[in-house]
Amino acid sequence: MSFFTHRGFRGFALSCIASALLVAGCSKKAEQPAATPSQPAVSYYKVDPGTAATLTGTVYYKGKAPARKLIDITEDPACVEAHKGKAYDESLMVGKGGALENAFIYIKTGLEGKNFETPTETVVIDQQGCWFHPHIFGVQTNQPVKIVNSDPVTHNIHPVAAVNREWNHSQGPGDAPLNRKFPNPEVMIPVKCNIHSWMRSYIGVLDHPYFAVSKADGTFSLPNLPPGTYTVAIWQEKLGTQEQQITIAPQQHATVDFTYKGK
Amino acid sequence: MVWRTELMKNRHLFRCALSVLLSAAVLFSSGCKAAPSEKPIGAPVALHPPLGLPPVPIPPNNPPTKETIALGRRLFYDPRLSKDNTLACSSCHLPTTDFSDTVSLSRGVGTAIGIRNAPTLINTAYLPLQFWDGRAPSLEKQAVIPMENPIEMNQPHELALSKLKQDPTYRRMFREAFGTEDISLGRTENALASFERTILSGNSAFDRFQYGGDKNALTPQQLRGLVVFMTPNKGNCAACHTITPQYALFTDGKFHNLGEGADDEGTFKDLGRFSQTRIEADKGSFKTPTLRNIARTAPYMHDGSLQTLRQVVDFYAGQGNSNPYLDKDMKTIHLTGQDREDLVEFLKSLTGELPPNVGPPGKE
């Protein structure tokens, strides 16, 4: 008992001395200009607005478009209710004039050595009606990705990553969103739900902002592109990949179209 | 500054002398008197576990007697064990919800909120280690921990005991149970543990089917659920929630990592078993809870984060949350939509009876 009191006292006395020293140290410092830690500032590549070009294009599917498959989600009755209407396969969506939707277009080479700043905007992937929204999307490395469950059922999102870390996480109805990042470039990461086998999404991760998903009319646009020589690549879930070389002059409005041949 | 320190030193010396004197006095007085015996004096009573349960393990130095059980029961329902006389053991282990509570995280005295979900106490007599992280080696040692825990009853043991000593009924009951009127912590532990050993539940529809020979006790859907529960590449539930040919505790008493509570980085705020063992691979592991009466003890998991049995089953269907130490038995789970519905129905067949005399004393 007495030992404890004693030790307590010694501790107090020591801390008195320490705080006295601290006060002295502080007041001294205040007189001198604070030395700023000299950390090398990361320099990001800035696109010169005077020379920036734009690359646009359209993705086509040649041949008879297959009818979209109806997906059976009756395994989970709560999903049927939440989905509101029929669930159609999104893996090959061909519109008017053979316009191919949901292809992922990106600059594959030509940007080496340029360090692009990570966007702070959060990309949201929502699980609604036992379906991932969006189906295909891109993010920059380390860009915040927020995973939301809007459904009355539990999901278990599972990005089957090969370059990035593979993980899966349960998310019950009303659970807080998950906030994740993908630190490495990877095209594409298939995303599944461990509970609902039909749920599928794909994420393209790149260390630059030049990627796009073709819209319902098959078009895409990569604006604010520095002039240069590039490999433009396209990925489509069912039809695979293609590449084209292009050299883009300053301020040019360049176009690149892609065509997949139907079987 | 120097002057003040000097003064404090003097005062400190004085306090030192005083405390030396005092502790000498304490030593002297306790040296004269032997600590009161903690051994029950009454005839040991046999506990009769219902269908589906094995014999209750009994420590040799604390066989339950009629008197210790009655005393433990009174203590269990007594709010004087808490700082402001508002919380009894039964406030978080409610007899009406099979000795668990209905909130995700238990509320302590005042505004304190705990960090874990209150587990059911039914059949806790069979568990080799108590608490989600196993930090108490026996029911005896467990019993007095919540009394002092600041986020639970938050009252020094001395104070609790002095409150009990003022009650002539307790003085009588301690005498009848242990031979003298002394009210000590050890005696309190023993009495509470003996009462808890009587909170047994079995004879559920599952038990009548599995051990009672009643082939109609389970519905066809529950029967399918039982098969899913047992099959390694379906539910694989019995890998941890054990069923033996003679009895079923629905727990292996061991610690497993399901990823429950893993955050966005795959790390754990509550490190679970690791806090006891300091073994890296124990991070995020928690004790397998029993599944008996599970339909009546929501919410679920150590953090009370899952609200319904359906959510629990879906959690398993998704193979939990990935993290470095996820149990390998989680990875073989494969459940179809039908399996999941059947499992939930099966879990409902585990609700058994409670003994008649475990409610508040004087109310049976």
Side-chain angles (χ1 to χ4, degrees):
Chain A
M1 176 65 180
S2 57
F3 278 107
F4 272 108
T5 325
H6 195 77
R7 201 181 287 157
F9 171 74
R10 230 183 17 220
F12 176 75
L14 274 175
S15 72
C16 259
I17 295 169
S19 57
L21 278 172
L22 207 76
V23 167
C26 279
S27 57
K28 205 170 179 187
K29 227 198 189 130
E31 287 157 20
Q32 287 173 353
T36 41
S38 61
Q39 219 179 56
V42 186
S43 66
Y44 293 111
Y45 179 79
K46 287 269 174 295
V47 180
D48 172 10
T51 61
T54 302
L55 176 67
T56 58
T58 308
V59 189
Y60 298 101
Y61 179 85
K62 266 240 172 71
K64 194 176 162 312
R68 284 177 64 192
K69 266 204 317 253
L70 190 62
I71 291 185
D72 181 10
I73 64 171
T74 54
E75 184 192 61
D76 196 331
C79 287
V80 178
E81 198 164 316
H83 196 82
K84 298 188 182 75
K86 293 185 164 148
Y88 284 103
D89 178 43
E90 288 181 328
S91 64
L92 188 58
M93 293 165 68
V94 182
K96 251 193 240 128
L100 186 61
E101 189 181 348
N102 265 343
F104 187 76
I105 301 98
Y106 63 103
I107 301 288
K108 190 173 178 184
T109 64
L111 291 164
E112 292 75 13
K114 295 189 172 67
N115 185 16
F116 291 91
E117 193 167 1
T118 305
T120 50
E121 305 91 77
T122 301
V123 177
V124 176
I125 173 162
D126 191 8
Q127 299 157 101
Q128 196 179 23
C130 297
W131 209 258
F132 287 123
H133 305 271
H135 180 55
I136 310 282
F137 67 102
V139 293
Q140 244 176 276
T141 44
N142 288 317
Q143 184 171 2
V145 177
K146 181 159 111 180
I147 298 140
V148 175
N149 182 5
S150 305
D151 274 336
V153 302
T154 302
H155 291 297
N156 192 298
I157 187 168
H158 182 174
V160 192
V163 182
N164 288 280
R165 182 171 67 87
E166 181 179 348
W167 54 264
N168 70 284
H169 204 99
S170 173
Q171 206 175 17
D175 277 3
L178 309 174
N179 295 296
R180 299 289 167 110
K181 284 172 182 174
F182 298 93
N184 304 303
E186 183 171 1
V187 179
M188 308 284 287
I189 302 175
V191 181
K192 60 180 192 172
C193 169
N194 278 2
I195 302 177
H196 306 102
S197 57
W198 61 83
M199 289 174 69
R200 199 62 93 240
S201 163
Y202 294 87
I203 312 175
V205 187
L206 290 155
D207 55 7
H208 60 70
Y210 302 104
F211 52 82
V213 177
S214 62
K215 294 191 264 197
D217 62 0
T219 62
F220 65 89
S221 168
L222 303 178
N224 202 32
L225 189 63
T229 298
Y230 298 111
T231 307
V232 187
I234 183 169
W235 170 97
Q236 205 284 341
E237 182 176 350
K238 275 271 143 55
L239 307 169
T241 56
Q242 293 183 15
E243 287 177 11
Q244 290 187 40
Q245 308 295 321
I246 184 171
T247 298
I248 300 176
Q251 290 185 317
Q252 188 188 347
H253 280 256
T255 53
V256 164
D257 293 341
F258 289 95
T259 302
Y260 284 102
K261 285 207 175 62
K263 279 151 215 158
Chain B
M1 186 80 175
V2 173
W3 174 80
R4 270 186 59 190
T5 319
E6 210 48 50
L7 182 81
M8 286 180 65
K9 203 192 256 166
N10 286 339
R11 205 193 280 164
H12 164 70
L13 279 177
F14 173 72
R15 246 198 277 144
C16 254
L18 195 71
S19 70
V20 166
L21 272 175
L22 270 177
S23 49
V26 168
L27 271 175
F28 183 68
S29 64
S30 59
C32 285
K33 207 162 115 194
S37 159
E38 288 161 12
K39 181 127 180 151
I41 57 165
V45 296
L47 302 177
H48 297 290
L51 183 67
L53 295 181
V56 181
I58 303 289
N61 54 356
N62 188 28
T65 66
K66 199 169 125 270
E67 294 78 17
T68 54
I69 294 170
L71 174 58
R73 183 175 176 189
R74 188 159 193 261
L75 289 165
F76 190 85
Y77 287 95
D78 195 335
R80 279 174 288 186
L81 295 190
S82 66
K83 178 183 181 160
D84 57 1
N85 302 324
T86 57
L87 280 190
C89 307
S90 59
S91 306
C92 302
H93 304 285
L94 284 81
T96 47
T97 48
D98 293 54
F99 295 90
S100 67
D101 63 10
T102 53
V103 289
S104 292
L105 303 174
S106 295
R107 312 263 149 82
V109 290
T111 55
I113 294 194
I115 55 161
R116 291 186 184 150
N117 181 255
T120 177
L121 299 189
I122 60 161
N123 304 343
T124 192
Y126 296 101
L127 299 177
L129 297 172
Q130 301 293 327
F131 286 126
W132 285 106
D133 54 13
R135 69 186 182 281
S138 69
L139 271 182
E140 277 78 4
K141 290 287 162 246
Q142 189 283 330
V144 294
I145 295 177
M147 290 167 56
E148 276 194 328
N149 189 342
I151 54 167
E152 297 188 343
M153 302 165 115
N154 191 19
Q155 172 168 258
H157 290 143
E158 285 312 315
L159 205 55
L161 296 179
S162 73
K163 281 191 202 169
L164 301 182
K165 282 172 191 161
Q166 283 158 26
D167 180 345
T169 308
Y170 272 125
R171 293 204 297 271
R172 174 177 56 77
M173 291 179 89
F174 274 88
R175 188 184 65 238
E176 286 167 0
F178 298 103
T180 66
E181 282 193 357
D182 296 288
I183 296 182
S184 71
L185 203 58
R187 290 180 167 192
T188 308
E189 284 175 354
N190 281 359
L192 275 168
S194 287
F195 168 64
E196 288 173 290
R197 290 199 172 90
T198 68
I199 309 176
L200 302 173
S201 181
N203 197 25
S204 62
F206 161 79
D207 296 301
R208 292 192 292 277
F209 171 84
Q210 188 82 359
Y211 306 113
D214 177 357
K215 291 299 152 209
N216 298 317
L218 295 181
T219 67
Q221 184 170 21
Q222 288 172 336
L223 203 53
R224 287 200 305 271
L226 171 59
V227 173
V228 173
F229 192 93
M230 304 285 297
T231 309
N233 60 356
K234 286 179 173 242
N236 197 29
C237 316
C240 305
H241 300 284
T242 322
I243 299 176
T244 79
Q246 296 81 30
Y247 58 84
L249 296 177
F250 289 97
T251 169
D252 56 3
K254 298 199 177 107
F255 302 84
H256 301 278
N257 177 320
L258 315 186
E260 179 57 49
D263 60 20
D264 284 338
E265 315 296 324
T267 56
F268 294 85
K269 253 202 324 270
D270 185 344
L271 294 170
R273 185 62 180 153
F274 173 83
S275 60
Q276 301 307 305
T277 63
R278 302 282 147 190
I279 295 170
E280 187 66 19
D282 283 341
K283 281 189 177 162
S285 280
F286 293 86
K287 192 176 68 188
T288 310
T290 182
L291 297 183
R292 287 188 173 275
N293 301 16
I294 195 71
R296 295 167 43 88
T297 61
Y300 303 109
M301 301 298 181
H302 73 271
D303 52 6
S305 64
L306 302 183
Q307 305 301 318
T308 63
L309 285 178
R310 178 63 198 223
Q311 280 179 33
V312 174
V313 168
D314 284 349
F315 174 84
Y316 282 109
Q319 304 185 339
N321 296 330
S322 55
N323 72 86
Y325 308 113
L326 183 71
D327 199 287
K328 62 172 175 18
D329 274 317
M330 292 295 288
K331 296 179 184 161
T332 64
I333 298 176
H334 297 283
L335 297 170
T336 65
Q338 186 66 52
D339 291 345
R340 287 182 275 144
E341 281 170 27
D342 295 347
L343 257 184
V344 170
E345 284 311 304
F346 168 68
L347 291 172
K348 293 181 189 161
S349 79
L350 303 181
T351 303
E353 301 158 349
L354 281 174
N357 42 9
V358 291
K363 292 206 184 133
E364 56 263 52

